[in-house]
Amino acid sequence: MKKNIILILMLLSVLFVLGGCGSNETSNGNEQSEKVKEDEVESEKKDEESSDDDTAQEQEVSTTLEEIIEETSGKYAGNAYNEAIVHRDLDENSFQDKDSFQVYNYLLSLMSESETYKGFYEDLQNFNDSIETSISSTPEGMKLEGGQTINGTSNIAILLDASGSMAQKIGGKTKMELAKQAVNEFVASMPEGSNISLRVYGHKGSNSDKDKKTSCSSTELVYELNSYDETTFKESLNSFKPTGWTPIANAINETKKDFEQITNEAQNIIYVVSDGVETCDGDPVKAAKELHDSNIKAVVNIIGFDVDQDGQKQLLQVAEAGGGKFETVDSADDFKKVWERERVRLYNEWSSWSAENYNDIASEQSKKINELYGSKSDFSNLTYDEKNHLNEAVYYLKDKEQISSEVREELLSLIKQRHTILDEYQEEYKASIEELETEGKRLKEEIQDKGKEMKDKYSN
């Protein structure tokens, strides 16, 4: 009996142990199962987050031109576009499970013209919409700068022979009297602002041998370079009389020193009035050439007054060496004709200057404006081509029932928004065109006004 009881107790102990082990195994199994489920949920959450990120990335839409031009062009952009090929590409994809942003970005990957837009953008950014043509120096050295005119004109130096031979009479008046009258009339006719100087030579001593040294060294600036003042200039003309020898070379050399003191950029012109050749052993040809070839670049003109044939030959050489002209006169009327021809020459130079510079400005302006209009037209045509290609693809997808009506409208709206951004950029072309039109008009008017002003002065 006791043995039976012991066996029963032992059996119950074994069962209790076995039960405890089973319970532990079940508990462990449940814990493992729960952990698997948690891992699966976490994985699904990560997948959803990753999917959300991809969707967000796909849904990015360019809202500025700068963003558009940084996109990659579509594989069927430009000349690669073919409607049938695009349809075939679309047929190979499914869009029913995609939203409008995903479809829109896919269409751009096929037909975006972004890289070509970038080329237009960079060209316009680098385009110089100002007039680059340099306005040439005016006939009298004036320049136009920054819309303003410089009022300085030529530096005109009159070198007047006061040798004894100028005391000879022609028609009741001495050569000197006629020369002074002609010189005064000429400088008085110069436009306001012209700079005039009067240098006399050979006016001291006499034309005798004993006074040769004194006379040949005599040259005096009796009217310093300045604008014409009638009273002062006439006083200067009356301050000397014809007495001595003819130091032409000395007078030219001293005039070179006069011009070296000038700081303006006006043209330097010399008129030598003489009734004979150099008589002071100087070399007027050399002096004229050195002056003309120097940085001063003065033009030396010679007016021979009642000069014999040999004298005309030497004075012509002086004028040629000085880059100027030689004129010969025998009377007061001839003097007037010389100055009148000079006025006509300057009138014609101003006329040519005005026409040539006006045409140069107009030519550059027209060329640049036409270039901008051409580029603007090409840019506009490209934006319309892209818009039409994208719209066509949207309607194709709708006809194929790949997208809903709602998605279609959203796509058309996105395409319209993109086109509007591109269309508004064309205002940049208009701004450059207007800048060229404004600057060109200002410069042309300035040239015309200055040309007319100066021609009017010389036509009086």
Side-chain angles (χ1 to χ4, degrees):
M1 183 68 174
K2 287 181 180 179
K3 290 182 179 179
N4 290 336
I5 292 171
I6 292 171
L7 287 172
I8 290 171
L9 291 173
M10 291 177 63
L11 180 60
L12 289 173
S13 298
V14 171
L15 290 174
F16 177 80
V17 171
L18 290 175
C21 290
S23 175
N24 288 336
E25 289 177 359
T26 300
S27 175
N28 291 336
N30 288 338
E31 290 177 358
Q32 291 177 357
S33 177
E34 287 298 326
K35 190 174 188 312
V36 169
K37 288 181 180 179
E38 289 177 0
D39 292 342
E40 289 177 351
V41 170
E42 187 66 26
S43 177
E44 288 176 0
K45 185 181 296 185
K46 289 181 179 180
D47 289 341
E48 287 176 1
E49 290 176 353
S50 176
S51 176
D52 289 343
D53 290 341
D54 292 342
T55 300
Q57 186 173 0
E58 290 175 354
Q59 291 179 357
E60 287 182 359
V61 175
S62 297
T63 57
T64 65
L65 178 74
E66 287 72 20
E67 292 175 352
I68 289 176
I69 64 176
E70 293 304 322
E71 297 172 357
T72 302
S73 285
K75 60 181 178 180
Y76 302 128
N79 294 330
Y81 177 79
N82 182 288
E83 185 177 294
I85 294 176
V86 171
H87 288 176
R88 185 173 63 192
D89 187 295
L90 296 176
D91 290 340
E92 292 173 354
N93 291 273
S94 175
F95 298 92
Q96 293 177 341
D97 59 341
K98 290 182 170 50
D99 61 29
S100 58
F101 293 102
Q102 292 171 315
V103 178
Y104 175 70
N105 283 325
Y106 186 79
L107 294 180
L108 288 179
S109 73
L110 300 181
M111 292 167 283
S112 167
E113 300 287 355
S114 293
E115 292 178 16
T116 308
Y117 293 146
K118 187 174 185 177
F120 280 104
Y121 175 85
E122 291 177 344
D123 287 345
L124 186 56
Q125 293 297 308
N126 295 325
F127 188 85
N128 189 338
D129 56 6
S130 61
I131 301 295
E132 299 174 277
T133 296
S134 297
I135 298 175
S136 66
S137 296
T138 64
E140 295 180 352
M142 285 185 290
K143 292 182 179 180
L144 308 178
E145 297 178 353
Q148 302 297 320
T149 59
I150 296 177
N151 292 320
T153 62
S154 296
N155 298 316
I156 301 174
I158 307 293
L159 276 59
L160 184 55
D161 181 3
S163 62
S165 58
M166 287 291 284
Q168 297 173 0
K169 289 188 176 182
I170 296 179
K173 290 186 177 182
T174 66
K175 292 180 183 179
M176 179 59 78
E177 289 173 332
L178 294 174
K180 286 181 177 181
Q181 179 182 347
V183 167
N184 185 63
E185 289 177 355
F186 174 66
V187 296
S189 71
M190 291 294 97
E192 182 181 354
S194 296
N195 297 314
I196 309 294
S197 71
L198 176 62
R199 176 174 285 278
V200 64
Y201 58 92
H203 62 301
K204 293 184 178 180
S206 68
N207 55 6
S208 64
D209 290 339
K210 66 180 181 64
D211 287 332
K212 181 176 181 180
K213 183 176 180 180
T214 299
S215 182
C216 286
S217 63
S218 66
T219 177
E220 182 180 353
L221 188 64
V222 294
Y223 189 89
E224 293 187 4
L225 190 69
N226 210 328
S227 58
Y228 173 74
D229 179 80
E230 182 179 3
T231 301
T232 308
F233 194 81
K234 285 183 177 180
E235 289 176 356
S236 299
L237 284 171
N238 295 327
S239 66
F240 57 88
K241 294 179 180 180
T243 60
W245 295 66
T246 313
I248 298 176
N250 187 22
I252 293 175
N253 288 331
E254 290 301 309
T255 301
K256 181 175 183 290
K257 295 178 183 178
D258 296 339
F259 281 148
E260 288 174 344
Q261 306 301 315
I262 301 170
T263 58
N264 63 40
E265 297 181 358
Q267 185 181 20
N268 299 314
I269 304 174
I270 295 174
Y271 294 98
V272 178
V273 180
S274 177
D275 73 337
V277 298
E278 167 80 28
T279 60
C280 291
D281 305 321
D283 188 345
V285 174
K286 179 182 177 182
K289 181 172 177 56
E290 288 180 352
L291 176 57
H292 181 63
D293 292 344
S294 69
N295 292 334
I296 298 171
K297 299 179 181 178
V299 175
V300 181
N301 299 292
I302 306 293
I303 299 174
F305 194 2
D306 190 33
V307 181
D308 60 25
Q309 190 171 356
D310 289 339
Q312 290 183 26
K313 183 177 179 180
Q314 187 196 73
L315 293 177
L316 174 61
Q317 292 175 341
V318 176
E320 289 176 343
K325 294 189 299 183
F326 171 71
E327 298 272 4
T328 181
V329 298
D330 297 314
S331 65
D333 287 341
D334 288 345
F335 247 127
K336 291 180 180 179
K337 289 176 182 178
V338 169
W339 300 128
E340 184 59 32
R341 284 196 295 273
E342 183 64 11
R343 284 167 59 87
V344 171
R345 180 187 69 80
L346 289 169
Y347 178 95
N348 290 335
E349 285 192 8
W350 272 104
S351 182
S352 296
W353 174 87
S354 180
E356 290 172 4
N357 281 279
Y358 183 97
N359 291 335
D360 288 345
I361 295 296
S363 178
E364 182 189 353
Q365 180 190 31
S366 178
K367 180 181 178 181
K368 285 190 170 182
I369 288 177
N370 288 338
E371 185 178 343
L372 286 171
Y373 271 121
S375 183
K376 177 178 177 291
S377 178
D378 291 342
F379 181 82
S380 178
N381 290 336
L382 185 65
T383 66
Y384 276 100
D385 285 344
E386 183 194 71
K387 177 184 177 183
N388 291 336
H389 295 164
L390 292 170
N391 282 343
E392 193 283 329
V394 170
Y395 284 107
Y396 179 78
L397 290 175
K398 180 63 177 68
D399 290 342
K400 291 292 185 176
E401 298 183 351
Q402 284 282 347
I403 59 175
S404 65
S405 296
E406 182 181 357
V407 170
R408 178 193 63 189
E409 294 307 312
E410 291 173 354
L411 286 170
L412 294 177
S413 178
L414 288 169
I415 294 168
K416 181 179 179 180
Q417 173 184 306
R418 178 183 178 88
H419 181 75
T420 298
I421 295 170
L422 294 166
D423 190 53
E424 288 176 349
Y425 181 67
Q426 295 184 56
E427 292 299 319
E428 296 294 325
Y429 284 101
K430 293 180 181 179
S432 290
I433 290 171
E434 288 175 359
E435 177 65 24
L436 281 167
E437 288 176 339
T438 300
E439 185 177 7
K441 180 181 178 182
R442 174 182 61 77
L443 289 172
K444 288 187 290 185
E445 287 180 349
E446 195 171 283
I447 290 168
Q448 284 184 317
D449 290 346
K450 179 54 65 176
K452 183 178 185 303
E453 174 192 345
M454 301 307 293
K455 287 189 293 182
D456 286 346
K457 289 179 180 294
Y458 286 118
S459 63
N460 293 333

